[in-house]
């Protein structure tokens, strides 16, 4: 339908106003194709958008940045990380030059750029860029900005992966109050649970007090439980880390109850026997036996 609409608009797009209408239609088409995982088609349409923006927004270079950053992000998902990173680096430079250093839009680009560096295997630049994105998001949007809260958790996990556990825990503790305040039914509650799980894991990796880690991970389980069916990866993370904390603290009874709660949820939700969550539970049982 969107491609048919573009076919009708194309002969009419001789004026700036109609050209911009066509750009809007093409952007929607590119987004729909990308969501449908038809990445090659999405890329072709998004490249057309970028080219048309050069014509119909020639005097507004800042307006063209979003289309270019969207193209960069699509390139990352098309296994063209080097091209995507090069484009996103250009876009970031232009954001600073045309808009300013501290904008939420720039933080989004930096986050995408960090993903690109990770895909290229550059772990140092991946973490460095995520840290900068987190800083920019906080400066631009404030400590309660939703994007800042989300990227801060991502960055904290990267810090944990780099062995910088104390920094990770500090960042997570900094954002947890705002995440808790936003923990309304739905996705915000899941984000809160995800952050709690990340904090519990960072504490375990740092060799900290297992009792404190257990308390944090129990809160993670409780926060995600009403939404576990749709966010099993968050529930599984919380339960795996909780089981580990109990095992390492010698709490065999508590660990057995965690496994029982996990089993009960899988049964109640009708999770298939061959699901990754059943396999995860089985590994947890094996770890409990091994001690």
């Amino acid at each position: 339908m969107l491609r048919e609409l573009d076919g009708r608009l194309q002969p009419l797009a001789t004026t700036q106003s109609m050209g911009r209408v066509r750009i809007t239609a093409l952007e929607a088409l590119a987004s729909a194709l990308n969501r449908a995982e038809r990445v090659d088609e999405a890329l072709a349409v998004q490249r057309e958008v970028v080219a048309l923006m050069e014509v119909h927004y020639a005097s507004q270079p800042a307006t063209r940045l979003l289309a270019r950053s969207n193209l960069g992000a699509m390139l990352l998902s098309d296994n063209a990380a080097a091209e995507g990173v090069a484009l996103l680096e250009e876009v970031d430079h232009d954001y600073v030059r045309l808009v300013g250093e501290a904008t939420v839009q720039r933080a989004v680009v930096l986050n995408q750029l960090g993903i690109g560096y990770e895909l290229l295997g550059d772990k140092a630049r991946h973490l460095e860029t995520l840290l900068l994105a987190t800083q920019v998001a906080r400066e631009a949007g404030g400590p309660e900005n939703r994007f800042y809260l989300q990227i801060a958790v991502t960055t904290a996990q990267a810090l944990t992966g780099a062995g910088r556990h104390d920094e990770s825990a500090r960042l997570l503790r900094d954002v947890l109050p705002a995440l808790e305040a936003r923990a309304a039914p739905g996705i915000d509650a899941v984000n809160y649970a995800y952050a709690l799980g990340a904090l519990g894991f960072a504490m375990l990796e740092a060799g900290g007090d297992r009792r404190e880690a257990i308390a944090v991970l129990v809160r993670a389980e409780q926060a995600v439980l009403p939404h576990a069916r749709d966010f099993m990866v968050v529930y599984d993370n919380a339960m795996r880390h909780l089981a580990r904390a109990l095992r390492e603290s010698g709490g065999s009874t508590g660990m057995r109850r965690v496994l029982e709660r996990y089993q009960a949820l899988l049964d109640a939700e009708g999770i298939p026997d061959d699901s990754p969550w059943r396999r995860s539970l089985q590994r947890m049982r094996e770890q409990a036996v091994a001690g």
Side-chain angles (χ1 to χ4, degrees):
M1 182 182 296
L2 286 168
R3 179 52 85 180
E4 181 182 349
L5 174 61
D6 178 58
R8 294 178 180 178
L9 287 171
Q10 189 168 352
L12 303 175
T14 55
T15 65
Q16 186 180 81
S17 59
M18 289 305 298
R20 291 179 177 183
V21 170
R22 185 180 175 219
I23 287 170
T24 300
L26 285 171
E27 286 180 318
L29 175 60
S31 178
L33 289 168
N34 197 46
R35 288 196 303 273
E37 298 183 355
R38 294 163 61 178
V39 181
D40 289 343
E41 295 171 82
L43 274 170
V45 175
Q46 191 62 30
R47 290 185 192 278
E48 190 173 359
V49 168
V50 171
L52 288 170
M53 293 280 285
E54 295 291 333
V55 175
H56 296 291
Y57 289 90
S59 62
Q60 301 177 45
T63 304
R64 302 197 300 266
L65 292 172
L66 179 59
R68 291 167 61 204
S69 67
N70 286 342
L71 176 58
M74 288 181 187
L75 286 164
L76 297 183
S77 63
D78 191 46
N79 297 319
E83 184 183 355
V85 164
L87 177 56
L88 290 167
E89 287 176 337
E90 291 178 8
V91 171
D92 179 52
H93 178 270
D94 289 343
Y95 259 117
V96 173
R97 179 173 59 87
L98 296 168
V99 184
E101 291 189 4
T103 66
V104 174
Q105 293 89 343
R106 185 194 176 208
V108 172
V109 172
L110 287 167
N111 181 47
Q112 293 168 335
L113 191 52
I115 293 169
Y117 288 135
E118 183 179 30
L119 291 172
L120 292 176
D122 193 336
K123 294 182 179 180
R125 295 189 76 180
H126 164 65
L127 181 54
E128 174 187 340
T129 305
L130 285 184
L131 286 166
L132 178 58
T134 303
Q135 175 188 328
V136 169
R138 184 184 176 98
E139 291 177 1
E144 297 181 0
N145 175 267
R146 190 176 190 181
F147 180 71
Y148 163 67
L149 297 173
Q150 292 173 337
I151 194 173
V153 176
T154 299
T155 301
Q157 291 179 307
L159 285 166
T160 297
R164 294 163 63 173
H165 309 303
D166 292 340
E167 292 174 75
S168 174
R170 280 197 299 272
L171 181 55
L172 289 164
R173 292 183 192 279
D174 182 58
V175 299
L176 274 170
L179 282 168
E180 184 176 16
R182 294 183 60 96
I187 190 66
D188 285 327
V190 175
N191 287 337
Y192 174 55
Y194 190 56
L196 285 167
L199 175 58
F201 179 62
M203 294 168 67
L204 291 175
E205 290 293 281
D209 187 335
R210 268 30 187 175
R211 291 171 299 179
E212 186 180 359
I214 289 167
V216 168
L217 291 165
V218 167
R219 287 165 59 198
E221 177 192 2
Q222 293 169 342
V224 72
L225 185 59
H227 318 285
R229 182 67 174 85
D230 296 321
F231 296 94
M232 279 300 301
V233 66
V234 180
Y235 179 80
D236 178 74
N237 281 340
M239 298 303 272
R240 283 189 296 104
H241 301 330
L242 179 55
R244 171 187 166 185
L246 288 163
R247 184 177 72 251
E248 292 179 357
S249 66
S252 58
T253 300
M255 183 176 180
R256 185 174 65 252
R257 289 173 179 168
V258 166
L259 300 181
E260 290 171 352
R261 292 199 300 273
Y262 201 155
Q263 177 76 57
L265 181 133
L266 295 177
D267 293 343
E269 298 292 349
I271 303 297
D273 290 342
D274 60 350
S275 73
W277 317 122
R278 297 277 185 183
R279 292 194 295 272
S280 178
L281 177 59
Q282 180 57 36
R283 285 193 296 271
M284 291 161 62
R285 288 192 175 117
E286 292 168 358
Q287 290 166 352
V289 172

